[in-house]
Amino acid sequence: MTGAALARSQLPLPLVRRGKVREVYAVGDDQLLLVASDRISAFDVVMREPIPYKGAVLTQMSAYWFDLLKDISSSHFVTCDVTEIINRIPDLESYDSTLEGRSTLVTRTDPVPFECVVRGYLSGSAWAEYAEEGTLAGERLEPGMVESQQLDPPLFSPASKAYEGHDENITFGVMRDALEGDLAERLRRMSLELYAEGCRIAAERGIIIADTKFEFGIAPGGQVMLIDELLTPDSSRFWPADRYEPGRGQPSFDKQPLRDYLAESKSDGSWDGAAPPPTLSAEIVAQTSARYLDAHRRITGSELPIV
Ligand SMILES: Nc1ncnc2c1ncn2[C@@H]1O[C@H](COP(=O)(O)OP(=O)(O)OP(=O)(O)O)[C@@H](O)[C@H]1O
Ligand SMILES: [Mg+2]
């Protein structure tokens, strides 16, 4: 039973990267340990208060999808079983409560420097581009579409991966020119297949995956594999299907209470929209945590193993 929320891990392993959400540690030369903290970001600002169970939700949901979708793409996933991780890395024995539920041992890859975004609905930056230019990823869409309208078929709209700061939407042509051989086409095809199968499964559970982002890496042997996280609320827009209504923005499954609170703080002038963020009340934190747990329950059909 792990109750305490974790804002940041500090393990006795070489730290490769501290992202907005994860710490990435090296395990020997060919593996990484990804530790998903309970940090949450919204409007590109990381909040001070961690959200209990969020890191475990992201970790367990990714593990669930990596297994379910392994026939479409192999992945970096090795194990997220804390006992197995500690058996392999005995130095971490006393850190087991920090690691439980939120850590994944993975194959270290050379990440492809593009985010493979698939969109099945017109939302977020895609809606902004369409509303302004009539295009998506530089390609013209039919006129007269409304916000949150379904895109049929779904569209591949890659972004270049910025190490710091904002990722930038690009055209498929830019991605194709930058990658060797037919890698861009392969990634596009795999992304569309992963998205289609993910949507089919989520729909049975009352969730629309409006869009999502896949990341791929090249393993030392040259194998292309899915890396990072997979079809989680942080890498995707999940919408409750029973409340879907085109022509407006949709409520977000997970971050809506937080987004509403931040939007209110901006409009009443108590927050300027940049770091540092406003303090989150215990109620907002609890509501957000409950939303993440609910997303996990709805998608996987089971409770988080550590709750
Ligand atoms: N198997 C892997 N091999 C190599 N790198 C990986 C692998 N899996 C994940 N990564 C990298 O680890 C990082 C995960 O950290 P995190 O998600 O917190 O950061 P981020 O998304 O890059 O940045 P931020 O969240 O700060 O915008 C990502 O940069 C991701 O590309
Ligand atoms: Mg990330």
Side-chain angles (χ1 to χ4, degrees), residues 22 213 228-229:
R22 283 176 191 75
K213 171 204 78 171
D228 207 53
E229 57 182 329

Side-chain angles (χ1 to χ4, degrees), residues 104-181:
T104 316
L105 188 66
V106 304
T107 304
R108 185 170 193 164
T109 68
D110 187 11
V112 175
F114 295 96
E115 313 216 309
C116 292
V117 180
V118 181
R119 300 175 183 278
Y121 293 79
L122 200 46
S123 180
S125 66
W127 167 244
E129 179 185 330
Y130 176 79
E132 201 149 294
E133 317 272 348
T135 56
L136 173 52
E139 287 171 44
R140 195 146 292 283
L141 296 186
E142 64 181 79
M145 295 186 75
V146 297
E147 185 174 9
S148 307
Q149 186 169 331
Q150 188 169 12
L151 296 163
D152 192 18
L155 296 176
F156 183 71
S157 71
S160 62
K161 222 170 118 55
Y163 196 70
E164 297 288 338
H166 271 299
D167 301 322
E168 194 192 337
N169 291 341
I170 54 160
T171 63
F172 179 64
V174 169
M175 177 172 168
R176 198 178 39 210
D177 291 346
L179 297 178
E180 303 220 332

Side-chain angles (χ1 to χ4, degrees), residues 6-198:
L6 181 76
R8 104 203 308 241
S9 68
Q10 246 165 330
L11 302 180
L13 296 173
L15 182 67
V16 176
R17 170 171 174 78
R18 190 188 301 280
K20 281 206 276 285
V21 170
R22 283 176 191 75
E23 274 88 48
V24 179
Y25 299 92
V27 178
D29 291 336
D30 50 9
Q31 290 185 321
L32 297 171
L33 186 69
L34 305 185
V35 181
S37 74
D38 293 321
R39 297 192 289 276
I40 191 167
S41 71
F43 302 119
D44 266 340
V45 178
V46 181
M47 304 295 126
R48 266 186 305 267
E49 298 76 9
I51 304 298
Y53 301 115
K54 176 176 178 282
V57 164
L58 301 183
T59 301
Q60 301 301 318
M61 211 186 273
S62 294
Y64 177 82
W65 286 118
F66 282 133
D67 185 52
L68 212 57
L69 301 176
K70 62 178 182 291
D71 292 342
I72 302 176
S73 173
S74 60
S75 82
H76 68 171
F77 184 84
V78 177
T79 181
C80 63
D81 180 312
V82 73
T83 310
E84 210 178 316
I85 290 173
I86 288 162
N87 279 340
R88 290 172 188 237
I89 319 171
D91 285 355
L92 298 181
E93 203 174 13
S94 61
Y95 293 83
D96 56 351
S97 63
T98 314
L99 294 171
E100 194 179 5
R102 65 171 80 253
S103 337
T104 316
L105 188 66
V106 304
T107 304
R108 185 170 193 164
T109 68
D110 187 11
V112 175
F114 295 96
E115 313 216 309
C116 292
V117 180
V118 181
R119 300 175 183 278
Y121 293 79
L122 200 46
S123 180
S125 66
W127 167 244
E129 179 185 330
Y130 176 79
E132 201 149 294
E133 317 272 348
T135 56
L136 173 52
E139 287 171 44
R140 195 146 292 283
L141 296 186
E142 64 181 79
M145 295 186 75
V146 297
E147 185 174 9
S148 307
Q149 186 169 331
Q150 188 169 12
L151 296 163
D152 192 18
L155 296 176
F156 183 71
S157 71
S160 62
K161 222 170 118 55
Y163 196 70
E164 297 288 338
H166 271 299
D167 301 322
E168 194 192 337
N169 291 341
I170 54 160
T171 63
F172 179 64
V174 169
M175 177 172 168
R176 198 178 39 210
D177 291 346
L179 297 178
E180 303 220 332
D182 65 350
L183 182 58
E185 277 88 0
R186 280 175 65 197
L187 297 183
R188 175 170 63 175
R189 193 181 59 240
M190 273 156 61
S191 299
L192 290 169
E193 276 180 45
L194 289 163
Y195 176 73
E197 184 59 7

Side-chain angles (χ1 to χ4, degrees), residues 252-271:
S252 141
F253 209 97
D254 36 284
K255 288 190 186 172
Q256 204 58 45
L258 175 62
R259 291 230 176 95
D260 290 347
Y261 171 69
L262 293 175
E264 226 175 83
S265 307
K266 269 196 208 178
S267 70
D268 72 16
S270 61
W271 181 46

